[in-house]
Amino acid sequence: MALDLRLLSSFLAVVEEGHFGRAAARLFLSPPAVTQHVRRLESQVGARLLDRSGSPVVPTAAGVRLAGHARTLLDAANAALDDLADVTQGADGGRPLRVGIMGHGSAELTPAAVNAYRRARPEVRVEIRQLDFTEHVTALVEDRVDVAFVRPGPDDERLVADVLTTEQRIVVVHERSPLADARTSGVGVADLAELPLFSVPGHTPHSFTEYLYFDDRVQRRSPEFAVTPQEVLTGVVTGRSAGSGLRSFARYYAWPGAVFVPVLDAPWESSYLAVRSGDDNPEVRIFRALTTALAKDMGPGINSRPLGSD
């Protein structure tokens, strides 16, 4: 009997999150897809693997035993892919520079930095990898990217980060929200008390959740989970949740039905370029130097652009 790694991945995510919805958000799948994966796996092994009667969802005795095997198998599969990547990268000219971008990164500065590096180092391949909210630290620590545009600054001694842009905070709400009328006048953090900001998985770094929920001053949480800007906007325009971000978010995600409202008394927040501490890769140093130089020129003007699209 051959076990499907996709099914094992969905099962293990539910075990670790204790919730089908959170597991789905982590895997970029719909909850019904994760449920179907688990049912197929249970049919394949001939045993019930999860106790769904309470919250959180917990593994059965068979599920506990399979979870241990699942971790081993998935780790082995990932190690095999990493080993193959080393071989293929060596065959076509060396390791690429892997650039991670969370959401829209540092707004207009992000593509400017990538293009400047490509002009300066045309012989080096550049791979762009989109990061979700939970990868604020892990993408670098686990060596899946070499540099990362993130926000806020990671609170981890294994990483160092440079401030790139500093912007006003905003919230994004449905056009029928009571706060939508304040799109030009703005609101205070106290006005957000009843705003159902979207939820994030439990393994999301605490520094990111503090940023997202205004240092925990906004306590209400939507039952909707999101780990990407697209999921945030989907929850907003369907009236199920609200989001928060930096001012430039509005220019990059101007969806019909979504309204962006400035938060006047919230401290301004920054976006960062993060790298591994002590990384001696010369390409990382070149990219970092180019990006920080561009930030000095471009950063001050980014927040002065219109809140909505040009």
Side-chain angles (χ1 to χ4, degrees):
M1 177 180 64
L3 292 174
D4 188 325
L5 293 181
R6 295 175 305 164
L7 308 187
L8 288 175
S9 180
S10 290
F11 161 69
L12 190 58
V14 176
V15 171
E16 292 176 348
E17 296 291 341
H19 190 278
F20 278 87
R22 290 196 292 271
R26 169 172 158 183
L27 298 171
F28 300 101
L29 296 173
S30 66
V34 172
T35 299
Q36 183 63 25
H37 285 177
V38 172
R39 285 176 177 166
R40 285 172 56 191
L41 186 61
E42 288 178 326
S43 177
Q44 191 173 15
V45 302
R48 190 165 63 93
L49 299 173
L50 296 172
D51 182 354
R52 303 163 173 82
S53 62
S55 182
V57 175
V58 296
T60 62
V64 170
R65 183 170 297 184
L66 181 61
H69 294 300
R71 289 188 182 95
T72 300
L73 290 170
L74 291 170
D75 287 345
N78 289 331
L81 289 174
D82 288 343
D83 184 58
L84 180 61
D86 288 342
V87 173
T88 57
Q89 288 161 9
D92 64 0
R95 172 172 169 156
L97 183 74
R98 301 162 299 169
V99 180
I101 304 174
M102 178 187 288
H104 68 296
S106 296
E108 291 81 2
L109 177 61
T110 301
V114 172
N115 290 333
Y117 176 80
R118 281 176 167 151
R119 288 191 297 269
R121 302 288 290 162
E123 68 277 17
V124 179
R125 291 184 299 116
V126 176
E127 291 183 358
I128 304 297
R129 302 189 179 184
Q130 200 67 40
L131 306 181
D132 68 41
F133 302 153
T134 70
E135 297 176 294
H136 182 244
V137 169
T138 57
L140 280 164
V141 170
E142 296 174 1
D143 194 27
R144 287 183 275 115
V145 300
D146 301 302
V147 298
F149 290 89
V150 299
R151 61 188 179 280
D155 183 16
D156 192 300
E157 63 183 10
R158 295 169 292 181
L159 307 178
V160 293
D162 301 301
V163 175
L164 299 181
T165 64
T166 302
E167 301 183 54
Q168 184 182 42
R169 295 299 304 280
I170 57 97
V171 289
V172 52
V173 299
H174 190 277
E175 61 186 357
R176 291 195 296 273
S177 166
L179 295 185
D181 291 339
R183 69 184 76 191
T184 55
S185 59
V187 296
V189 175
D191 298 318
L192 309 180
E194 296 304 313
L195 200 63
L197 292 178
F198 67 89
S199 297
V200 291
H203 60 284
T204 305
H206 185 62
S207 58
F208 185 83
T209 61
E210 284 187 330
Y211 152 81
L212 177 66
Y213 302 130
F214 297 90
D215 295 325
D216 291 328
R217 293 167 65 190
V218 182
Q219 297 293 326
R220 188 177 175 194
R221 302 288 183 269
S222 167
E224 297 295 319
F225 280 77
V227 295
T228 67
Q230 291 77 13
E231 291 178 339
V232 173
L233 269 296
T234 298
V236 169
V237 299
T238 55
R240 302 196 306 270
S241 61
S244 74
L246 301 181
R247 183 182 176 92
S248 57
F249 187 95
R251 297 197 300 278
Y252 282 78
Y253 302 102
W255 284 26
V259 174
F260 302 90
V261 182
V263 183
L264 304 178
D265 59 348
W268 286 28
E269 291 282 359
S270 299
S271 68
Y272 294 78
L273 182 72
V275 302
R276 286 181 288 275
S277 299
D279 192 334
D280 59 0
N281 182 345
E283 302 306 325
V284 170
R285 293 198 297 270
I286 293 170
F287 189 93
R288 186 180 179 188
L290 286 169
T291 303
T292 53
L294 280 170
K296 292 178 181 178
D297 292 332
M298 296 181 62
I302 284 178
N303 197 62
S304 64
R305 289 175 177 261
L307 184 60
S309 58
D310 292 335

